[in-house]
């Protein structure tokens, strides 16, 4: 972001004063709280049974070739719906090329995967089932396997109706419905945006101001702290062409969708290659890559504190009982 | 079991009448309800924090070489704390030689693993972490990895005290403590044994009587419906030497610890090699292997119904939040 752009957004550079209520209104426009319910597409409305079915499928390892890998293996609810290892590990222990992104609040993003090759959760859901290095299960086999279970026969029929309700499209719809419930409201930032001045510490408020003043908010904005757009960035150790592999456009070389910063403190390690372990280092890398400067230590420490203010309430639910 | 032994136990062979209250007293001695709390060894008393720590470790994939396999991968809470595939799959997709046994009610058994090579849950807990085809993590590395997390430092110190609380023995103790909470009370059989005549259907009562009259109860008795003893059985397709591999004793060739029948309807497939998919077939195999006879169809159907009466309330708990 240029200085002019910063000024156009009404940002104040310079002294990092503790936020006041005037600031709060300003921050409210930039960040927005987590909504109480995610946007629901007209062609995949939510019902409790559809959500429950989606939850079951999310935990269902028998739609993987090995029989032990489910969505929840890499998007592990105990680990912030990610895996906390640098690169995803899948079928037969194969190591992928990218860090597992969290599913938390993915419903608030308008581009899925690091390279945005899916626009919606429905488009995203089936990819990892089929991918050779993830669950490695051809979709028709996954569908066949689900058909073996009376419980799935009944639930798909109830949810989707029709002659042949167990089909890949419906698997995707159910999974997407469940994933839309995985929001994390009530973070310190959300409580602050709702009017509680005390929800953020002074250090976190300084970090928030620095985050805004440095222009980080240009991309990390809105309820997910992501613009769902693609930006070129080549973090240390990465040769990944990113979005270019999807579009073939030169300007997409090494471009990645802005990741959400929601729950960033519990979804380490960082970046497309997962090679950065700490928030401190991740913020310094962003300073160098996007702003071409070494951020001062105190500012980095303040921003780390602000990042911790983005951890919300994790979704709570009982384990599904699979058939 | 011989006819004489059956008579010595006071069993009645022949007509399968519906159970009455006289029967109930008899069945109560043979099966016993699930206790409200598992037997606790004096050197590993339970505390809420120890149980919580054990739960975290049970779900902790970072003590596996791949970083994605935890105890809960094969002992999956969504699948009756087992995996519902014939043979266990572990590190790098390697397929083991035996079916994953359920952890549910394992605290009621006096021999762990199919071959009883561990007597207690404490002795059992570390094996799968180290095993090359399971989690494939040397114990000292697992311990080192846990030490990297402040949360584990604090919890192990609180639970175990001492200079160096994070050590393999304590990992085993915490895991065992958690596993002792995985009881499944309140099955139809338990409700029947508590005095509710209506808890079992007539078909289930006929199945229970057949189960007793045929002598199945000789080994499948007590609260877990297992005597924790070793019996020779070579199910179709199995060449596994079982207990012999532990003791080297001739009489242990192809001997296996009696598996619990608690929750048997949700812990398919069956036997040490997992090659039998249904209760119906499993009961027929047991008839042929142990009684040398083909059980009549109606008796098999009744026993299947009785097996369904052994499914209790699954433990309910929230996902742990790992550090």
């Amino acid at each position: 972001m240029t200085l002019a752009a910063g000024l156009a957004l009404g940002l104040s550079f310079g002294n990092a004063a503790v936020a006041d209520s005037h600031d709060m209104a300003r921050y409210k426009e930039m960040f927005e709280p987590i909504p109480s319910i995610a946007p629901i597409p007209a062609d995949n409305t939510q019902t409790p049974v559809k959500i429950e079915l989606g939850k079951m499928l999310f935990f269902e390892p028998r739609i993987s070739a090995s029989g032990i890998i489910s969505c929840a293996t890499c998007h592990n609810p105990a680990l912030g719906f990610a895996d906390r290892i640098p690169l995803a590990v899948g079928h037969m222990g194969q190591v992928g090329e990218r860090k597992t992104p969290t599913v938390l609040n993915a419903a608030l993003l308008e581009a899925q995967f690091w390279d945005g090759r899916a626009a919606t959760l429905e488009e995203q859901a089936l990819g990892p089932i089929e991918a050779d290095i993830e669950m490695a299960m051809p979709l028709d086999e996954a569908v066949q396997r689900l058909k073996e279970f009376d419980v799935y026969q009944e639930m798909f029929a109830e949810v989707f109706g029709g002659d042949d309700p167990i089909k890949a499209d419906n698997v995707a719809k159910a999974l997407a419905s469940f994933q839309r419930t995985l929001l994390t409201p009530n973070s310190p930032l959300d409580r602050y945006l709702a009017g509680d001045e005390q929800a953020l510490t002074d250090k976190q408020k300084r970090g928030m101001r620095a985050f805004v003043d440095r222009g980080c908010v240009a991309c990390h904005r809105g309820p997910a702290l992501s613009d769902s757009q693609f930006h070129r960035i080549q973090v240390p150790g990465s040769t990944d062409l990113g979005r270019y592999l999807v579009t073939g456009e030169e300007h997409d070389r090494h471009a990645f969708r802005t990741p959400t910063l929601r729950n960033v403190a519990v979804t380490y390690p960082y970046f497309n290659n997962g090679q950065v372990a700490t928030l401190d280092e991740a913020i310094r890398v962003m300073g160098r890559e996007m702003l071409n400067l070494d951020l001062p230590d105190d500012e980095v420490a303040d921003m780390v504190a602000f990042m911790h203010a983005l951890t919300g309430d994790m979704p709570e639910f009982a384990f599904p009982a699979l058939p």
Side-chain angles (χ1 to χ4, degrees), chain A residues 227-242:
Chain A
D227 59 0
S228 293
Q229 298 299 308
F230 302 90
H231 303 281
R232 295 178 68 163
I233 178 170
Q234 205 172 353
V235 299
S238 175
T239 54
D240 191 332
L241 291 170

Side-chain angles (χ1 to χ4, degrees), chain A residues 7 26 28 41 57 86 90 102 112 119 154 157 181 289 294 309:
Chain A
L7 294 171
R26 203 159 62 91
K28 221 164 181 165
L57 296 173
T102 181
Q112 303 297 335
E154 288 158 20
T181 68
E289 290 291 317
D294 285 318

Side-chain angles (χ1 to χ4, degrees), chain A residues 250-263:
Chain A
E250 278 305 313
H251 66 264
D252 282 332
R253 267 183 193 275
H254 309 295
F256 293 92
R257 180 210 56 188
T258 310
T260 178
L261 294 185
R262 291 283 182 182
N263 309 296

